[in-house]
Amino acid sequence: MGFTLFYLSAIVLIPIGALILKTLGIPWSEFWRLATTERALAAYKLTFGASLIAALANATFGTLLAWVLTRYDFPGRRLVDALVDFPFALPTAVAGLTLANLFAVNGWLGKYLVPLGIKGAYTPLGVVIALTFVGMPFVVRTLQPVLENFEREVEEASATLGAGRMRTFISVIAPSLLPSIITGFALAFARAIGEYGSIVFISGNQPFKTEIAPYLIVMRLEEYNYAGAMTMAVVLLVFSFVLLAVINLIEQWASKFTKG
Amino acid sequence: MSIELKNISKKFGEVAAVNNVNFSVNDGELVGLLGPSGGGKTTVLRMIAGLELPTEGDIFIRGERVNDLSVQKRNIGFVFQSYALFKSMSVAKNIAFGLTIKKWKKADIEARVAELIQLFGLSGLEKRFPHQLSGGQRQRVAIARALAPKPSVLLLDEPFGAVDAKIRQELREWLVTLHHELNVTTIFVTHDQEEAMEVSNRIVIFSKGNLEQIGTPREVYEQPANEFVARFVGVMNVLEATVGGGVARINEIEFPATGQEDGARLRIGFRPYAVQVSNDLSLLPYRAVLRHTFFLGILLRLEMELPSGLIIRSRMTKEDYAQQGLEDGREVSFQIKNYRVLASDSATLAPELESKYQQPPTMGENI
């Protein structure tokens, strides 16, 4: 208990406390002005919007990937399974550089995509791509154990009662998976909001266009505008806390029928 | 006739799980499929349900060939060993599931669910989720759910496997009562011969994918078709004797064997109750030393060692035992009052069974 408290304080509580204390020195009207400059608003919009889209994409395709990985056996399955963790392990800057090169006008993929009108590098789309990449393991890894523990017999029971495959999926399987999908979605979303390294390379960081909130904070710091950086940091912080609370509530609700 | 299996075989890849099985189940019957694990009994049950397709042969339910009918359309109720309840649904929703799928009217569903809740003693638990129920309650929900759409057959896979011994006994009695009330044709799978004997109208015995015998509990106990059945159902002493001069002999024990050629080897089986034991050494023809006495309730099982080292099991009542003043280590005399020459079973005994036979099941003692 003592150790937990000490560790939590050193790692999480004290830095956050310092941040909030510092911000308290700024008058409210000034805080509001700094937090809602047009450039900041555009950055929030991009960060939250792109994060939401990326998390949704991950929830959809991550579920699919987890399903395939647990339900089907194919050559290379273990390799694919190991690769899922790749975005975790890869330094985000490396991921960002790689993606930027891949989607640039003369990149491997950009070569074919740009003539089709799909511009990956230096656009909001690039931000979404990078965020999808880093968030993908969250959904897969949250869902996998749940799917593995899902009894085949439950599906068979549904079939003996007359339910077709579609009906079984909707009425029996999906309700059991939904809490985990939502948890995975929220984790991917939270991660995406804080993501910095992989995006700065692919987005191009144009103010009002492809500038994300964490990048703007760094910019403010470089301008020695500590108050501006701090207010934006607090906004992101509050949002993260809200998200954390929501995740916990969902997990509580889910445990209502997933345990035992 | 409710269910009929004709020449049913099932192969998983190269492995034959079920070999050319034929049997039928009458309307309203309660039939137990009995056998050691890996005997093919669960595969047979799953084929009747449509969860597995037979490699060869035909299955009929109420005269209709159902080979090409999907699980969904067979109108069977299936209770899984793990119960397989829907975790995200309440007890009432679980039971109503099959009815919702079959598009019953809402009022009818409610009435049917209420009826089953009542019948299965689940009142007050309607809104609970499966994880809030005890093992016995879960099983009742699983059976209620299977029975709700009024299936033509109820199939249960190891229904008593997952609960502890005491509840098991209650559930068995309860299943018999339930079957009596509902009279729905029921087939259940078990590896417990005592369970099969106690619950079933008829027993179908499987070993290594072959049907060894089908009959009433009494028939399979008293007239086992072969050695496998004899040893699997109840306790059986089995000796191998060689014929010479009209008698089959194993060490000092002799059995009349008229019409058998000299040198033929016979396997002779006799139940413990057929072995009469006395403390009067001159009363009965053979002698042995009482090695060990097992207490089984009102009956005792005696393990006797012959001078040649052969072990023979007998049994007697507690009163008899006390009256004769028997105890471990004493010399006794005995005789074998009746016995059977056993047909060898269609397949040799699986190796994992051999060890089981070292400690024979005790069912026979209670009949």
Side-chain angles (χ1 to χ4, degrees):
Chain A
M1 175 68 193
F3 179 76
T4 316
L5 213 60
F6 167 75
Y7 196 74
L8 199 67
S9 304
I11 301 287
V12 183
L13 297 181
I14 290 176
I16 289 178
L19 177 70
I20 291 178
L21 218 64
K22 272 264 187 183
T23 332
L24 285 179
I26 307 167
W28 178 246
S29 57
E30 176 69 1
F31 176 86
W32 189 249
R33 193 186 62 73
L34 284 169
T36 58
T37 59
E38 268 186 41
R39 193 166 164 195
L41 285 179
Y44 297 142
K45 211 172 125 193
L46 178 66
T47 291
F48 292 132
S51 297
L52 188 69
I53 294 169
L56 283 173
N58 277 326
T60 314
F61 296 109
T63 304
L64 212 67
L65 186 56
W67 180 270
V68 171
L69 282 176
T70 44
R71 282 309 172 90
Y72 299 95
D73 203 8
F74 51 89
R77 190 183 67 89
R78 292 172 71 89
L79 184 73
V80 174
D81 192 41
L83 277 177
V84 168
D85 286 329
F86 196 56
F88 274 155
L90 198 69
T92 48
V94 178
L97 269 175
T98 315
L99 289 174
N101 274 320
L102 214 52
F103 287 99
V105 185
N106 49 6
W108 275 7
L109 287 176
K111 246 191 320 208
Y112 307 106
L113 292 179
V114 173
L116 295 173
I118 304 169
K119 288 183 201 143
Y122 317 122
T123 60
L125 177 66
V127 178
V128 173
I129 290 170
L131 291 177
T132 310
F133 177 78
V134 295
M136 191 262 296
F138 289 100
V139 178
V140 179
R141 290 293 181 236
T142 328
L143 215 56
Q144 248 176 337
V146 182
L147 274 172
E148 266 159 19
N149 288 331
F150 197 83
E151 294 168 86
R152 249 284 132 67
E153 294 193 337
V154 174
E155 283 165 65
E156 289 178 347
S158 172
T160 61
L161 290 165
R165 279 185 65 86
M166 204 58 206
R167 184 64 193 258
T168 300
F169 186 83
I170 294 169
S171 303
V172 178
I173 302 175
S176 313
L177 298 187
L178 202 61
S180 311
I181 296 177
I182 294 172
T183 306
F185 165 81
L187 286 171
F189 190 37
R191 167 72 201 263
I193 288 169
E195 181 57 22
Y196 175 78
S198 62
I199 300 170
V200 291
F201 296 102
I202 197 170
S203 70
N205 308 313
Q206 293 158 273
F208 301 103
K209 273 191 189 153
T210 60
E211 188 177 54
I212 53 163
Y215 182 80
L216 188 56
I217 294 177
V218 175
M219 288 301 293
R220 292 278 186 256
L221 283 175
E222 283 178 358
E223 294 160 2
Y224 301 106
N225 181 355
Y226 292 122
M230 219 82 84
T231 45
M232 286 193 68
V234 168
V235 171
L236 289 187
L237 185 74
V238 167
F239 198 84
S240 295
F241 267 126
V242 170
L243 210 58
L244 212 66
V246 170
I247 294 173
N248 271 307
L249 279 178
I250 290 167
E251 276 168 356
Q252 260 174 34
W253 168 72
S255 70
K256 214 170 62 174
F257 42 71
T258 47
K259 71 180 173 204
Chain B
M1 208 167 297
S2 194
I3 298 171
E4 200 174 356
L5 274 71
K6 280 190 178 160
N7 308 318
I8 288 294
S9 294
K10 173 73 185 176
K11 282 183 178 159
F12 291 108
E14 286 298 297
V15 187
V18 175
N19 295 319
N20 197 26
V21 161
N22 290 280
F23 72 90
S24 55
V25 175
N26 299 321
D27 251 344
E29 231 184 339
L30 176 53
V31 168
L33 308 185
L34 173 67
S37 5
K41 53 201 187 317
T42 296
T43 309
V44 168
L45 195 75
R46 290 173 60 88
M47 284 193 285
I48 297 170
L51 294 167
E52 303 287 356
L53 296 175
T55 316
E56 274 171 51
D58 299 309
I59 299 173
F60 298 88
I61 297 180
R62 290 182 188 262
E64 186 194 358
R65 186 174 174 277
V66 294
N67 284 43
D68 307 317
L69 219 54
S70 69
V71 199
Q72 286 87 354
K73 297 209 172 94
R74 286 200 192 183
N75 192 29
I76 47 97
F78 200 103
V79 179
F80 292 85
Q81 191 174 3
S82 64
Y83 310 145
L85 296 178
F86 305 134
K87 284 180 188 166
S88 52
M89 296 182 201
S90 65
V91 167
K93 287 261 171 63
N94 262 284
I95 297 174
F97 187 79
L99 307 177
T100 319
I101 299 287
K102 295 206 162 58
K103 300 203 165 62
W104 280 35
K105 284 200 197 86
K106 201 162 173 254
D108 293 344
I109 294 178
E110 275 167 19
R112 178 72 175 150
V113 171
E115 183 193 347
L116 287 163
I117 293 267
Q118 181 69 30
L119 179 66
F120 283 74
L122 293 165
S123 301
L125 305 173
E126 295 92 333
K127 293 206 170 76
R128 295 249 186 117
F129 285 96
H131 78 268
Q132 297 166 316
L133 302 176
S134 72
Q137 289 168 339
R138 278 181 214 182
Q139 188 190 41
R140 278 180 278 158
V141 175
I143 299 178
R145 183 180 68 178
L147 283 174
K150 303 191 172 165
S152 56
V153 196
L154 179 64
L155 307 170
L156 304 104
D157 188 8
E158 296 276 2
F160 313 110
V163 287
D164 58 57
K166 190 175 169 293
I167 299 176
R168 214 176 167 130
Q169 184 59 37
E170 288 171 19
L171 283 171
R172 271 187 221 168
E173 285 161 18
W174 173 79
L175 182 68
V176 174
T177 317
L178 181 80
H179 179 256
H180 221 76
E181 280 173 32
L182 300 178
N183 214 28
V184 58
T185 310
T186 306
I187 304 179
F188 74 101
V189 158
T190 178
H191 61 265
D192 184 336
Q193 47 110 11
E194 199 173 329
E195 199 166 281
M197 298 287 266
E198 190 178 322
V199 175
S200 331
N201 299 139
R202 283 195 301 154
I203 301 178
V204 188
I205 298 170
F206 289 92
S207 160
K208 301 181 94 184
N210 298 304
L211 195 160
E212 301 289 350
Q213 188 170 6
I214 177 162
T216 63
R218 201 188 171 106
E219 278 164 6
V220 295
Y221 183 73
E222 289 180 351
Q223 295 143 34
N226 56 40
E227 190 179 336
F228 174 82
V229 175
R231 300 181 84 151
F232 198 73
V233 179
V235 182
M236 182 72 116
N237 292 293
V238 179
L239 301 175
E240 195 170 271
T242 313
V243 179
V247 282
R249 185 177 287 111
I250 160 123
N251 298 332
E252 55 274 63
I253 308 177
E254 291 179 348
F255 301 92
T258 42
Q260 295 281 350
E261 279 179 35
D262 280 7
R265 297 175 74 78
L266 298 178
R267 290 182 75 77
I268 290 170
F270 48 97
R271 297 286 186 195
Y273 70 78
V275 181
Q276 188 190 353
V277 179
S278 169
N279 62 346
D280 182 352
L281 295 182
S282 57
L283 187 67
L284 302 168
Y286 305 119
R287 294 211 181 165
V289 175
L290 183 54
R291 279 286 172 235
H292 207 290
T293 309
F294 297 90
F295 291 83
L296 309 167
I298 61 159
L299 284 173
L300 307 175
R301 187 166 71 233
L302 281 54
E303 225 172 69
M304 300 178 299
E305 188 178 339
L306 275 63
S308 59
L310 270 180
I311 300 282
I312 284 180
R313 291 181 293 258
S314 177
R315 60 158 211 190
M316 61 172 49
T317 60
K318 220 155 46 179
E319 289 75 17
D320 250 5
Y321 189 86
Q323 206 179 359
Q324 297 210 32
L326 293 177
E327 59 186 359
D328 288 359
R330 272 197 65 159
E331 201 171 9
V332 293
S333 67
F334 74 93
Q335 69 169 339
I336 297 160
K337 288 187 293 187
N338 54 60
Y339 62 92
R340 304 171 58 84
V341 176
L342 300 170
S344 68
D345 39 315
S346 55
T348 47
L349 298 178
E352 69 267 22
L353 286 172
E354 300 286 6
S355 60
K356 246 190 191 167
Y357 292 143
Q358 304 295 316
Q359 292 194 327
T362 54
M363 173 65 197
E365 307 298 341
N366 298 324
I367 287 198

